[in-house]
């Protein structure tokens, strides 16, 4: 029987006992061909199935035992070493096995085989940072292989030598070795195709480091696609991983994460824990840029633990660097510096000059943030010089940027400008938006310092264009975090526009900085729903639904014990931190899986037409007799824009956001006293609240009173903490603002276009109410009143099911929900309203289509949002606007059950009488606090706590 036929029969045998019988029957009948064929099969399987490769190693060992042949034993050792090195990442164990094989060959006087056994060892030594030892082994083996004209093993050795050069950051030397290996593989003809593809895979890594990005993408893509055609999924995944890393450097973060997600799945399916953890490390690079610091820290701790166990110092050091960047992003500079010092020691010990320099740049960046400018600049410039000498232009540019920032901070303008220019040239030569954005930003800062305001404006515009190109490539739900530390360039341009008497310019860039994720969702009709868009999504969707059902069951079993009569109560982060940790862990998993689904399906992030943000027009969508009042924070000081159909004006207010935050804290204390039973002190508490609201009026409205008082309708666009302020309750000492003006709100002025164009199709009304098992009895009467006035559908108590409400919302003109609500600042995706069977959460609404003219969420804090980067509001409000609601009636704080029911009856009565939504709200609030009632119990409604939590977001017009 031919060797090939025998091996095929052996591998097809049903179990190990059958395989041993076949080997025993064939023992002593060949001259080593079987062991070599099995070794080749084990190596081939290593690329696709680690466990089957190990099983084949056992066959070699059995064969060697039966034949008592040392050469067969050595082949088994080599095959096993390859599995531990290439498949499982256990390099120390692999090196021991390689050495055992080499000893056998040395004793048998087989120099070529001994040299061949060094090939894998060279790679394993490099993986644990023992580069000098690896070089000595490689030199000795290369001499023997060249002397004996061993082309195939010589090519493999050359590849491993190239990889080691790349690992230590010597990329030019690595590229030369890879090119040498590619030539050797080409000499081998068809037999060398797979090896040649592996060369392209590895070349792409060093081409990227050397700034040759197009060549890197071409090499990775060629290797990925061809290896996939050759049914080598693991090798194809490695090529795809390299492609992802190139996309990362180019700022194409979403594409990078999408590829890495696929690659991780391939590695995990094949039992390659080490490789999957490397993917985690690479993904953390992207997540750092997206400012997902908590996620980065968690990932890097896992990565670090594994590679410490495996004895892989470079990967340990890289994980520690990323940990440090996460700490820095969280403001923990001391921890960040300690981690960077630890990482640098690791890189220095293995003579990795490139990574030591990269670590120095990160250290310099933190020192700059700590205002140690001189030390920062010197360290960054020294590191940049090392990277320039090593042929790493893009990495050099990052060092130049840090040095430039430190120079400008010391008013060394000429030096800072020169450094920024050098970095910008590298960014433009390589088309890297991250470098272009920062380079133009620094040039703008320098021009502003020199009084060249027009030049500064031009540079800031270019910086923002590059920044928005970067931002447009990111999955929509990551954009707010990404924007978080990049507001300065917008603020500086807004500031210069004000200085130059260009309020339109300032307003445009204030808008380009605000609520962009929501505007993008509406403008481009992005789909964030949980549904499979390709076959690969099905398993993820199934797991998401399972986790959501598990969470809902636990939450329903654990019901917050609210105070009777309050549609909320113990809400917020503290409640959830004290609650069952498994709920929080489930929410973390659900969020992560949803984000993974969105990353996979973010095709819009590849569309260059969507990378350039433009401010939506405002004035064409402003009705007559309406003024839009938009606030914005510039360099820690509030400014206000006043927009009418005919003009745009701007004013600096001289008020800091922190002053408003202090007023809000005092208001919350006042409201808390009312909630705690302050009816005996209601007069005192009302006067105190009015005093606080007057201070807010004096700071935010009095300076513009003469400009706005003739407009009956005001649209308020808050900013930062002002989103939590009831502007309609601002008090001038005599009257509240809502007494003289109709007030509505928008998260950003650019949303005016979408709210005014929302469909207003006549349709039914649904009124849904749940009393939280009798603790909120007035919710039921409230819903009945709404349904009666509009002949609507009622969903009460056990009929108040999430599924029924979702079905009704798709076609209703009015949606009213009265129930217990919970605002989750720690995870706004799970802010929601408690119904009979589950919670209606933010995540649910992202999966819902709504055509309602009005959605009322008559529960506690339904209008509170977590304020993310770029003034993005995360919570129920954003989700309902995304889902299609034209307007929302929401609450700013915990509301009282009976007073809320009476208020809603009055409000809907006005709507039924034909009032527009904004006008109906104004009339309901005015009548509420103007009631002259005899009893103290009813009289307390005059306090703003009872009537002012309600505010209208979106279109204030007719139903």
């Amino acid at each position: 029987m031919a060797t090939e036929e025998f091996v095929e029969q052996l591998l097809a045998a049903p179990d190990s006992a059958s395989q041993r019988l076949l080997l025993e029957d064939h023992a002593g009948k060949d001259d080593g061909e079987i062991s070599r064929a099995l070794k080749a099969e084990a190596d081939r399987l290593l690329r696709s199935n680690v466990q089957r490769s190990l099983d084949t190693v056992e066959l070699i060992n059995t064969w060697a035992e039966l034949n008592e042949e040392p050469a067969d034993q050595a082949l088994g050792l080599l095959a096993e070493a390859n599995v531990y090195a290439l498949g499982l990442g256990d390099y120390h164990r692999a090196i021991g096995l390689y050495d055992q094989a080499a000893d056998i060959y040395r004793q048998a006087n087989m120099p070529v085989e001994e040299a061949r056994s060094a090939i894998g060892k060279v790679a394993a030594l490099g993986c644990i940072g023992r580069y000098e030892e690896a070089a000595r082994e490689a030199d000795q083996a290369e001499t023997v292989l060249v002397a004996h004209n061993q082309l195939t093993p010589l090519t493999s050795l050359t590849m491993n030598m190239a990889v080691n050069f790349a690992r230590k950051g010597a990329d030019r030397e690595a590229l030369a070795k890879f090119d040498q290996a590619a030539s050797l593989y080409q000499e081998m003809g068809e037999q060398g195709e797979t090896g040649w593809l592996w060369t392209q895979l590895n070349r792409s890594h060093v081409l990227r480091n050397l700034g040759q990005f197009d060549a890197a993408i071409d090499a990775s893509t060629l290797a990925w696609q061809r290896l996939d055609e050759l049914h080598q999924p693991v090798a194809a995944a490695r090529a795809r991983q390299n492609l992802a890393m190139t996309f990362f450097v180019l700022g194409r973060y979403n594409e990078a994460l999408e590829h890495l997600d696929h690659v991780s799945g391939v590695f995990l399916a094949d039992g390659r824990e080490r490789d999957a953890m490397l993917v985690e490390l690479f993904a953390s690079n992207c997540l750092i840029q997206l400012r997902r610091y908590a996620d980065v820290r968690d990932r890097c701790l896992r990565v670090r633990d594994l590679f410490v166990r495996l004895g892989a110092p470079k990967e340990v050091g890289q994980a520690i660097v990323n940990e440090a960047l996460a700490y820095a992003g969280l403001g923990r500079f001391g921890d960040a510096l300690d981690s960077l010092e630890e990482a640098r020691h690791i890189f220095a010990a293995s003579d990795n000059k490139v990574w030591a320099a990269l670590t120095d740049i990160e250290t310099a960046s933190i020192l700059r943030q700590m205002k140690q400018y001189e030390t920062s600049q010197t360290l960054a410039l020294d590191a940049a010089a090392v990277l320039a000498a090593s042929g790493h232009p893009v990495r050099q540019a990052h060092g130049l940027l840090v040095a430039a920032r430190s120079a400008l901070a010391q008013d060394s303008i000429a030096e800072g400008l020169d450094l920024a220019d050098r970095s910008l040239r590298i960014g433009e030569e390589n088309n890297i938006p991250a470098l272009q954005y920062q380079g133009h930003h620094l040039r703008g800062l320098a021009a502003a310092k020199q009084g060249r305001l027009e030049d500064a404006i031009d540079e800031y515009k270019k910086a923002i264009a590059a920044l928005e190109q970067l931002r447009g490539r990111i999955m929509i739900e990551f954009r707010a975090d990404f924007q978080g530390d990049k507001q300065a360039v917008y603020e500086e341009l807004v500031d210069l526009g004000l200085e130059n008497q260009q309020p339109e310019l300032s307003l445009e860039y204030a808008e380009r900085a605000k609520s962009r994720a929501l505007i993008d969702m509406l403008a481009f009709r992005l789909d964030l729903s949980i549904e499979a868009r390709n076959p690969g999504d099905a398993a993820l969707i199934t797991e998401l639904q399972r986790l959501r059902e598990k969470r809902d069951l636990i939450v329903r079993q654990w019901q917050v014990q609210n105070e009777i009569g309050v549609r909320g109560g113990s809400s917020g982060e503290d409640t959830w931190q004290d609650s069952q940790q498994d709920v929080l862990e489930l929410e973390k998993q659900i969020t992560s899986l949803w984000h993974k689904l969105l990353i996979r399906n973010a095709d819009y992030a590849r569309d260059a037409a969507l990378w350039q943000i433009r401010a939506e027009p405002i004035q064409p969508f402003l009705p007559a007799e309406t003024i839009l009042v938009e606030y914005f924070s510039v360099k820690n000081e509030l400014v206000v824009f006043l927009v009418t159909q005919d003009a745009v004006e701007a004013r600096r207010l001289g008020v800091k956001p922190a002053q408003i935050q202090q007023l809000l804290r005092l208001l919350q204390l006042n409201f808390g006293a009312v909630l705690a039973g302050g009816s005996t002190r209601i007069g005192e508490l009302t006067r105190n609240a009015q005093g606080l609201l007057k201070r807010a009026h004096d700071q935010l409205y009095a300076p513009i009173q003469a400009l706005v008082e003739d407009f009956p309708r005001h649209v308020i666009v808050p900013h930062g903490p002002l989103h939590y302020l009831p502007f309609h309750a601002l008090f001038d000492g005599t009257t509240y603002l809502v007494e003289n003006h109709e007030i509505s709100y928008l998260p950003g002025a650019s949303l005016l276009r979408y709210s005014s164009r929302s469909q207003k199709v006549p349709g039914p009304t649904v009124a849904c109410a749940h009393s939280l098992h009798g603790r909120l009895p007035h919710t039921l009467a409230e819903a009945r009143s709404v349904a009666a006035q509009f002949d609507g559908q009622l969903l009460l108590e056990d009929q108040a099911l999430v599924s029924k409400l979702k079905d009704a919302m798709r076609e209703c003109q009015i949606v009213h929900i009265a129930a217990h609500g919970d605002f989750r600042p720690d995870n706004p995706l799970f802010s929601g309203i408690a119904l009979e069977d589950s919670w209606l959460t933010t995540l649910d609404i992202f999966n819902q289509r709504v055509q309602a003219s009005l959605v009322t969420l008559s529960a506690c804090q339904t209008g509170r949002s977590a304020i993310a980067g770029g003034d993005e509001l995360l919570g129920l409000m954003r989700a309902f606007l995304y889902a299609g609601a034209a307007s929302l009636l929401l609450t700013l704080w915990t509301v009282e059950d009976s007073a809320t029911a009476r208020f809603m009856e009055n409000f809907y009565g006005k709507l039924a009488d034909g009032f527009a939504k904004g006008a109906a709200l104004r009339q309901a609030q005015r009548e509420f606090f103007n009631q002259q009632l005899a009893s103290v119990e009813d009289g307390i409604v005059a306090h703003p706590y009872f009537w002012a939590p309600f505010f209208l977001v979106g279109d204030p017009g007719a139903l």
Side-chain angles (χ1 to χ4, degrees), residues 460-516:
Y460 288 146
K461 285 182 177 180
K462 291 176 180 177
I464 288 171
L467 173 59
E468 290 173 351
Q469 181 181 354
L470 264 180
R471 187 179 172 281
R473 289 167 163 169
I474 298 169
M475 185 270 285
I476 196 76
E477 281 299 277
F478 285 167
R479 293 183 182 181
D481 282 337
F482 174 76
Q483 197 80 358
D485 63 347
K486 299 172 181 66
Q487 292 297 93
V489 65
Y490 291 96
E491 291 182 23
E492 284 150 3
L493 186 47
V494 170
D495 191 41
L496 285 181
L498 295 175
E499 287 292 311
N500 274 12
Q501 303 298 311
Q502 296 176 266
E504 294 87 355
L505 174 72
S506 293
L507 176 61
E508 175 188 350
Y509 282 92
E511 272 298 295
R512 284 170 73 157
K514 284 173 61 74
S515 299
R516 295 311 311 184

Side-chain angles (χ1 to χ4, degrees), residues 329-611:
L330 295 168
R332 295 168 56 180
F333 295 136
D335 291 334
L337 289 175
D338 289 344
S339 292
L340 288 170
E341 183 179 358
E342 181 182 0
R344 198 191 193 287
H345 177 76
I346 291 171
F347 295 132
S350 57
D351 194 32
N352 194 326
K353 294 182 175 62
V354 167
W355 268 96
L358 291 172
T359 305
D360 286 343
I361 289 174
E362 301 302 346
T363 301
S365 179
I366 293 171
L367 292 174
R368 180 191 64 79
Q369 294 175 73
M370 297 172 69
K371 300 185 178 181
Q372 298 181 33
Y373 301 123
E374 186 175 349
T375 304
S376 168
Q377 183 177 346
T378 300
L379 187 60
L381 285 174
D382 289 345
V386 171
L387 294 168
S390 302
H392 291 75
V394 175
R395 289 167 165 173
Q396 173 199 2
H398 286 291
L400 295 174
L401 284 171
V402 174
R405 291 185 185 279
S406 292
L408 290 175
Q410 299 172 85
D411 288 328
S412 299
I413 298 173
E415 185 178 10
L417 192 55
D418 175 65
L419 293 168
D421 285 345
R422 289 167 59 190
S423 175
L424 182 57
R425 281 196 296 273
I426 294 171
E428 290 176 338
E429 288 168 2
N430 295 281
N431 191 26
I432 301 177
L435 294 179
Q436 293 169 324
Y437 146 62
Q438 294 181 79
H440 284 300
H441 185 192
L442 292 178
R443 285 172 58 87
L445 285 172
K449 283 177 176 285
Q450 294 171 331
R452 298 183 289 112
L453 299 190
E454 288 298 333
D455 289 342
I457 288 173
D458 185 57
E459 292 294 341
Y460 288 146
K461 285 182 177 180
K462 291 176 180 177
I464 288 171
L467 173 59
E468 290 173 351
Q469 181 181 354
L470 264 180
R471 187 179 172 281
R473 289 167 163 169
I474 298 169
M475 185 270 285
I476 196 76
E477 281 299 277
F478 285 167
R479 293 183 182 181
D481 282 337
F482 174 76
Q483 197 80 358
D485 63 347
K486 299 172 181 66
Q487 292 297 93
V489 65
Y490 291 96
E491 291 182 23
E492 284 150 3
L493 186 47
V494 170
D495 191 41
L496 285 181
L498 295 175
E499 287 292 311
N500 274 12
Q501 303 298 311
Q502 296 176 266
E504 294 87 355
L505 174 72
S506 293
L507 176 61
E508 175 188 350
Y509 282 92
E511 272 298 295
R512 284 170 73 157
K514 284 173 61 74
S515 299
R516 295 311 311 184
L518 175 56
I519 294 167
D520 289 346
M521 291 176 198
L522 296 172
F524 303 123
R525 301 174 185 265
L526 303 184
D527 187 355
L528 307 190
S529 59
I530 297 176
E531 61 180 52
R533 296 172 182 80
N534 57 68
D537 292 341
L540 194 154
I541 296 290
T542 300
E543 179 64 6
L544 252 175
Q545 299 294 9
R546 185 189 71 80
L547 291 173
R548 293 181 72 196
E549 289 170 6
K550 185 176 180 180
R551 174 203 177 266
D552 289 347
L553 178 62
I554 295 172
V555 171
R556 294 306 295 176
Q557 291 172 343
W558 169 79
Q559 190 61 259
V560 180
Q561 297 300 311
N562 298 305
E563 297 181 20
I564 294 175
V566 176
R567 300 189 185 183
S570 49
S571 305
E573 187 173 1
D574 291 342
T575 299
W576 285 90
Q577 287 177 344
D578 293 337
S579 73
Q580 299 176 17
Q581 287 301 308
D582 49 356
V583 172
L584 298 176
E585 181 57 34
L586 283 168
E587 291 176 351
K588 183 177 178 181
Q589 293 176 41
I590 292 166
T591 304
S592 177
L593 286 176
W594 184 53
H595 286 169
K596 182 179 288 191
L597 182 68
L598 295 181
I599 288 169
R600 288 185 180 184
N601 295 287
D603 293 339
Y604 53 83
R606 302 191 190 96
D607 188 347
L610 308 185
W611 294 347

Side-chain angles (χ1 to χ4, degrees), residues 566-829:
V566 176
R567 300 189 185 183
S570 49
S571 305
E573 187 173 1
D574 291 342
T575 299
W576 285 90
Q577 287 177 344
D578 293 337
S579 73
Q580 299 176 17
Q581 287 301 308
D582 49 356
V583 172
L584 298 176
E585 181 57 34
L586 283 168
E587 291 176 351
K588 183 177 178 181
Q589 293 176 41
I590 292 166
T591 304
S592 177
L593 286 176
W594 184 53
H595 286 169
K596 182 179 288 191
L597 182 68
L598 295 181
I599 288 169
R600 288 185 180 184
N601 295 287
D603 293 339
Y604 53 83
R606 302 191 190 96
D607 188 347
L610 308 185
W611 294 347
Q612 180 61 51
I613 292 175
R614 64 182 180 87
E616 299 287 357
I618 299 170
Q619 290 171 291
F621 300 99
L622 271 175
E625 299 186 318
T626 299
I627 188 167
L628 184 139
V629 182
E630 174 164 353
Y631 294 87
F632 191 72
S633 179
V634 176
K635 298 182 178 179
N636 200 32
E637 190 171 279
L638 290 171
V639 300
V640 62
F641 297 96
L642 306 172
V643 188
T644 65
Q645 288 184 338
D646 303 317
V648 176
E649 297 188 54
R651 294 285 187 277
R652 297 183 189 270
L653 294 176
V655 178
K656 297 182 183 301
Q659 293 173 261
I660 305 301
Q661 286 178 316
Q662 176 62 18
L663 280 176
L664 287 169
R665 283 192 287 269
L666 294 173
L667 269 176
Q668 287 299 320
L669 289 173
N670 181 287
F671 295 162
V674 174
L675 180 61
S679 58
T680 58
R681 302 169 47 223
I682 194 64
E684 175 191 346
L685 289 171
T686 300
R687 288 189 294 274
N688 176 259
Q690 289 176 332
L692 295 170
L693 291 165
K694 184 177 187 306
R695 285 170 58 187
H697 179 278
D698 291 346
Q699 292 174 332
L700 299 173
Y701 240 75
I704 58 173
Q705 184 100 30
L707 300 171
V708 302
E709 61 186 357
D710 291 336
F711 292 88
R713 290 185 292 274
H714 295 183
V715 178
I716 308 295
V717 180
H719 188 78
L722 274 65
H723 286 291
Y724 297 149
L725 182 69
F727 279 85
H728 49 281
L730 296 185
F731 189 67
D732 65 5
T734 304
T735 58
Y736 295 105
L737 189 61
V738 75
E739 293 187 68
N740 298 314
H741 304 281
E742 177 189 311
I743 308 296
S744 64
Y745 297 79
L746 283 172
S750 295
L751 289 162
L752 192 65
R753 152 180 217 160
Y754 300 100
S755 63
S756 65
R757 286 186 173 180
S758 296
Q759 292 183 348
K760 297 179 181 177
V761 180
T765 293
V766 61
C768 177
H770 195 269
S771 69
L772 199 64
H773 310 296
R775 282 174 287 180
L776 302 172
H778 295 280
T779 57
L780 307 180
E782 178 182 318
R784 290 190 182 102
S785 172
V786 173
Q789 294 188 73
F790 288 89
D791 192 23
Q793 176 186 4
L794 265 175
L795 298 175
L796 302 180
E797 299 294 62
D798 61 355
Q799 293 299 304
L801 305 174
V802 170
S803 58
K804 284 194 172 186
L805 180 58
K806 284 182 175 180
D807 288 341
M809 282 196 293
R810 292 190 183 97
E811 58 183 20
C812 285
Q813 183 185 32
I814 297 175
V815 176
H816 183 93
I817 308 171
H820 162 68
D822 191 23
F823 168 54
R824 291 285 305 283
D826 62 311
N827 193 340
L829 204 58

Side-chain angles (χ1 to χ4, degrees), residues 84-132:
Y84 281 103
L86 301 177
L88 300 175
D90 190 342
Y91 302 112
H92 291 280
R93 184 167 182 176
I95 289 167
L97 293 168
Y98 285 129
D99 284 341
Q100 290 180 49
D103 286 342
I104 290 172
Y105 287 132
R106 191 177 304 114
Q107 292 172 18
N109 194 27
M110 301 172 70
V112 171
E113 286 73 13
E114 182 183 351
R116 290 171 68 120
S117 69
I119 295 171
K121 182 181 178 182
V122 165
L125 286 168
C127 287
I128 58 176
R130 289 157 61 177
Y131 299 118
E132 292 184 6

